[in-house]
Amino acid sequence: MTSVPPVPEPPSGASRVPETPAGRLARIGGFCARHSPWVIALWLVLLVAALGGRHIVGATFSDQLSLPGSRSDTGGDLLKASDPAAAAPNGLVVFHTGSGTVADHQQSVDSAVSGLAAMPHATAASALVTSKDGATAYTTVSFDEQLKSLGHGYVDQLDKATAPARSDGVQVEYGGGLDQVTNAPANDLTSELVGIGAALVILLLVFGSVLGAVLPLLCALVGVLVGIGVVGIVAGVVTFSTSAPTLATMIGLGVGIDYALFLTTRFRQDLIDGRSPADAVTRTCASSGHAVLVAATTVAVALLSLYACGLSFIGKLGLAATIAVVVTASASLTLVPAALALTGRAIDRVKVRHRPVAETAGEDDSWHRYARLVSRHPAAFLSCGVALLVVLAVPLFSMRLGHVDDGAAKSGSTSRVAFDLISAGQGPGFGPGANAPFTVVVDVSHATVPADQVGDDVDKALQDTPDIAQATELQPTPDGKLLVGTVTPADDPQSAATGGLFNALTDHVLPDALRGTGAQGYLTGTAAGQFDFRDTVKDRLPIIIGIVLVAAFVLLMTVFRSLVIPLKAVILNLLTTGASYGVLVAVFQWGWGTGALGLPEAVPIESYVPMMMFAIVFGLSMDYEIFLLSRISEAWHRTADNTRSVGAGLSATGRVISSAAFIMTAVFLSFTVSPTVVVKMLALGLAVSVVLDATVVRLILVPSTMFLVGRANWWFPRRLDRILPRVHM
């Protein structure tokens, strides 16, 4: 008879995982299993209440940026106080004729301009600004409230006012700030259905169980809908960006399906191993439930850290996504166990393959063989994996932040046509830079020299500045406290030259011209505010990176009782994030994939996308590592054999993480068809990060570093072990 070798003792400071599930999550899972009909009914009530509350609140969303204390914001406040009409929200209505001139239709166009001025909430419509050839003209329409609050239905008012010109054969388009009115609310139902459909197909093909595929999808969908409802209710008191619901849906759907899938797969494996449904639910919540909780906490902490940048616009985007993550994780830890208990052994009754599978194929499956291969050449695997990520990250060093304007709008849309007509026109008020001019505001209320002299000095300085197409002479406001003029850049708002012009004007031209006069100069307006926002985000990105890194390190150190594992996880995720940034720059800024994404040309990276991506990518990338490392940790505490532990971790999670990665990638890629460029950027960046994390990091970097470091992976100072709270995985 062959004797069974003794199991090695775990390292000092480690403890064996108890056979009988214990802990709060195990008790929650057991409670949900015993009262499954009531738990399911409660979630259905929450679903109705959340969606009903969202409808009752009738929340509005706005992309209005505010940077209190910035020079553009200060200049805007001064202008508003001195000349409210000049600081009012406005938009452009463009008239164009394919033959002849706009003047040939003077009567109908004048009637349209009068109609625009008479619209509800419109305060004025300026005299027409006409191009040299007379084929294009536009009027600036001012309003008494922010344009986004007018709603998409306000387009009917615009169409009614401009009907006389249209009926006379004049083309009419709406641009400038009116894109906030003309752009229809985003409808991402198609993206959501594509993502859900792809998830269903993947689960059926990989696991072969119909209920095993449908159940996590339904539970995740309930969680996402409740989360979106809660976001809508919160939006009644907190103003979110227009992209917040889409971001919350995208993140919630991705993590919701993954979390539910991890739990369902562990449950099915326990059933296959011969355990009762009740025991399987409890064990699932005690093991995979903890991994879900830690993963969700990591994502939530990363997203909420966005508030630390001091920009409420970005912080609120993180809050919306956090709400979705918290709600879907809650559904995974309560609704999923209830549904699993109610389904029981029937979960594999309907199948599309002869023998449904869950986690592992045994001790000598392909995952164990792969682990042994990596263990023989860990340095080579590590070098190849790091080299690949470094190469992908190279474009990162040429990243240019900016604002994606109407020049990147959908071809044929009224905002895009208006943008192109003004860009193509010749003469004062036309050209590429006319779509986003700078307003120069000079405060002369405390000047020590005459205002006329101040104006002359600034006018001369502007005339001598390169990259300016036109600069109007400064004129005093009615109260005489300010001098105001307009600078039209020579290039379009997205160009590097326009960004350089903004920096030159604010850092050198205006300060030098006003030195010794006691006057203060500011650049304000939409374009100036966006450049100020860009610079502020760039300055505060290191703060977010530092907070996320420290928070992730502390959390993982507490969970895994190791200093080495969290350090490696942080470094590997930094590499993944850098590679994702690099792909984003290559696709959008270099223009390698703009055509496939429905963009007419290369565009800069939207200023706040890198900050959002870092928080989201870092949080999501940790998810798969947490699930993998938790199973490696279980095996290590059971066997103290590093090679066997890595193999067991890969084997136990290989099928489920691969499926989860396929699903999350499909969900994110489905959102690249969104008309919102920011959503396209985030969706592609997140999809790339998931692919890299599920392949390069999980299959190459994590195993190779685990083998290279060996037993030191689990080194943890005893004094620190006593101080930190214990979080059982």
Side-chain angles (χ1 to χ4, degrees):
M1 179 179 294
T2 304
S3 61
V4 179
V7 177
E9 288 294 318
S12 175
S15 58
R16 297 182 184 276
V17 178
E19 284 298 319
T20 302
R24 190 168 300 171
L25 284 177
R27 292 193 294 271
I28 291 175
F31 176 86
C32 293
R34 293 190 301 273
H35 304 88
S36 54
W38 290 104
V39 173
I40 294 172
L42 176 60
W43 273 99
L44 294 178
V45 170
L46 289 175
L47 174 62
V48 173
L51 295 181
R54 183 176 189 268
H55 179 73
I56 293 171
V57 169
T60 58
F61 301 86
S62 174
D63 290 327
Q64 189 70 26
L65 297 176
S66 177
L67 285 174
S70 66
R71 296 191 66 80
S72 60
D73 193 68
T74 301
D77 289 342
L78 290 170
L79 184 58
K80 186 176 182 180
S82 186
D83 188 3
N90 61 73
L92 305 179
V93 178
V94 183
F95 303 93
H96 178 74
T97 179
S99 60
T101 65
V102 173
D104 297 337
H105 308 270
Q106 194 68 49
Q107 185 175 355
S108 62
V109 172
D110 286 347
S111 177
V113 173
S114 298
L116 290 168
M119 294 186 303
H121 299 292
T123 57
S126 70
L128 289 175
V129 178
T130 307
S131 62
K132 280 185 177 180
D133 62 6
T136 305
Y138 66 84
T139 179
T140 301
V141 184
S142 301
F143 297 87
D144 60 9
E145 63 177 82
Q146 296 299 328
L147 296 174
K148 188 65 182 180
S149 63
L150 298 177
H152 183 59
Y154 197 79
V155 173
D156 294 337
Q157 296 287 344
L158 294 169
D159 289 343
K160 182 179 178 181
T162 57
R166 280 200 173 87
S167 61
D168 196 27
V170 178
Q171 179 183 355
V172 181
E173 306 293 347
Y174 311 125
L178 287 175
D179 60 350
Q180 299 180 62
V181 173
T182 59
N183 291 342
N187 183 357
D188 298 302
L189 180 60
T190 301
S191 298
E192 295 162 11
L193 292 177
V194 169
I196 293 172
L200 179 60
V201 171
I202 292 169
L203 291 177
L204 287 174
L205 291 176
V206 175
F207 295 104
S209 169
V210 174
L211 277 178
V214 173
L215 189 145
L217 288 181
L218 290 179
C219 292
L221 191 57
V222 170
V224 170
L225 291 176
V226 173
I228 295 303
V230 174
V231 169
I233 294 172
V234 175
V237 293
V238 176
T239 303
F240 288 117
S241 162
T242 54
S243 59
T246 300
L247 178 64
T249 301
M250 182 169 63
I251 301 299
L253 197 58
V255 301
I257 294 176
D258 278 11
Y259 294 164
L261 173 60
F262 286 125
L263 292 167
T264 302
T265 304
R266 188 64 182 261
F267 170 80
R268 293 178 57 244
Q269 183 62 48
D270 277 345
L271 290 184
I272 292 172
D273 291 342
R275 293 185 175 89
S276 69
D279 286 344
V281 168
T282 305
R283 288 176 57 84
T284 294
C285 292
S287 53
S288 294
H290 276 282
V292 167
L293 182 60
V294 174
T297 302
T298 305
V299 176
V301 168
L303 290 170
L304 288 178
S305 69
L306 291 170
Y307 268 108
C309 72
L311 301 172
S312 60
F313 178 87
I314 296 178
K316 290 173 184 176
L317 280 172
L319 174 61
T322 300
I323 291 173
V325 171
V326 170
V327 173
T328 52
S330 300
S332 297
L333 295 173
T334 56
L335 178 60
V336 171
L340 292 174
L342 194 64
T343 306
R345 296 190 182 280
I347 194 168
D348 285 337
R349 184 167 298 168
V350 182
K351 48 187 178 292
V352 294
R353 59 193 299 173
H354 177 67
R355 183 174 179 269
V357 294
E359 287 183 346
T360 179
E363 283 287 330
D364 195 39
D365 61 7
S366 58
W367 293 107
H368 281 85
R369 291 193 295 273
Y370 174 75
R372 289 193 290 271
L373 173 64
V374 177
S375 70
R376 292 193 293 271
H377 312 282
F381 275 84
L382 177 63
S383 300
C384 292
V386 171
L388 175 59
L389 294 182
V390 169
V391 169
L392 290 176
V394 168
L396 162 66
F397 299 99
S398 66
M399 179 184 289
R400 178 169 60 86
L401 301 182
H403 174 67
V404 180
D405 56 28
D406 288 339
K410 183 179 179 180
S411 181
S413 64
T414 186
S415 56
R416 171 66 187 281
V417 175
F419 183 97
D420 290 343
L421 288 173
I422 293 175
S423 296
Q426 301 292 322
F430 287 86
N435 283 288
F438 300 128
T439 299
V440 180
V441 175
V442 179
D443 182 5
V444 293
S445 60
H446 301 289
T448 57
V449 298
D452 290 345
Q453 180 180 335
V454 173
D456 291 341
D457 291 344
V458 174
D459 287 338
K460 184 179 185 306
L462 293 176
Q463 290 170 4
D464 295 337
T465 302
D467 295 322
I468 292 181
Q470 180 190 10
T472 63
E473 291 187 359
L474 298 186
Q475 299 294 326
T477 53
D479 61 7
K481 293 182 178 180
L482 305 178
L483 298 176
V484 181
T486 300
V487 169
T488 302
D491 291 289
D492 66 80
Q494 295 181 167
S495 69
T498 300
L501 174 62
F502 172 80
N503 293 334
L505 291 174
T506 54
D507 297 342
H508 304 292
V509 177
L510 290 179
D512 291 348
L514 297 173
R515 185 172 290 112
T517 66
Q520 294 292 323
Y522 307 90
L523 283 190
T524 189
T526 302
Q530 289 163 348
F531 282 118
D532 261 345
F533 186 78
R534 173 204 66 182
D535 294 340
T536 303
V537 168
K538 190 185 301 182
D539 292 340
R540 297 181 184 178
L541 180 58
I543 298 174
I544 298 302
I545 292 176
I547 291 174
V548 172
L549 293 183
V550 171
F553 181 86
V554 172
L555 179 63
L556 294 180
M557 177 179 64
T558 305
V559 169
F560 292 107
R561 319 306 289 182
S562 166
L563 287 179
V564 177
I565 284 181
L567 180 61
K568 291 192 302 180
V570 166
I571 294 173
L572 295 182
N573 278 280
L574 278 175
L575 289 173
T576 303
T577 306
S580 301
Y581 281 167
V583 173
L584 207 65
V585 170
V587 171
F588 288 94
Q589 187 177 308
W590 292 2
W592 287 6
T594 49
L597 293 170
L599 295 176
E601 58 187 13
V603 295
I605 305 302
E606 182 66 46
S607 55
Y608 62 90
V609 163
M611 187 178 286
M612 290 293 303
M613 263 194 63
F614 183 83
I616 300 173
V617 167
F618 207 88
L620 293 181
S621 295
M622 285 291 186
D623 277 9
Y624 296 144
E625 290 178 46
I626 287 172
F627 283 102
L628 171 59
L629 290 171
S630 67
R631 301 309 291 270
I632 294 176
S633 176
E634 285 182 20
W636 169 254
H637 286 84
R638 187 173 62 250
T639 67
D641 185 314
N642 199 46
T643 302
R644 288 177 61 189
S645 299
V646 174
L650 288 173
S651 179
T653 62
R655 189 185 303 273
V656 66
I657 288 183
S658 299
S659 301
F662 274 123
I663 290 169
M664 194 174 282
T665 301
V667 169
F668 290 153
L669 288 179
S670 68
F671 281 86
T672 58
V673 302
S674 170
T676 306
V677 179
V678 170
V679 174
K680 290 179 184 287
M681 289 183 179
L682 288 172
L684 181 64
L686 296 179
V688 170
S689 72
V690 168
V691 171
L692 292 177
D693 192 67
T695 54
V696 179
V697 174
R698 174 177 64 107
L699 299 180
I700 299 177
L701 299 183
V702 169
S704 60
T705 56
M706 293 293 291
F707 288 128
L708 283 172
V709 178
R711 295 178 64 91
N713 281 303
W714 309 101
W715 177 75
F716 198 54
R718 293 186 177 182
R719 180 174 299 179
L720 197 57
D721 187 39
R722 290 193 297 268
I723 296 174
L724 290 178
R726 290 190 174 275
V727 181
H728 169 59
M729 286 295 295

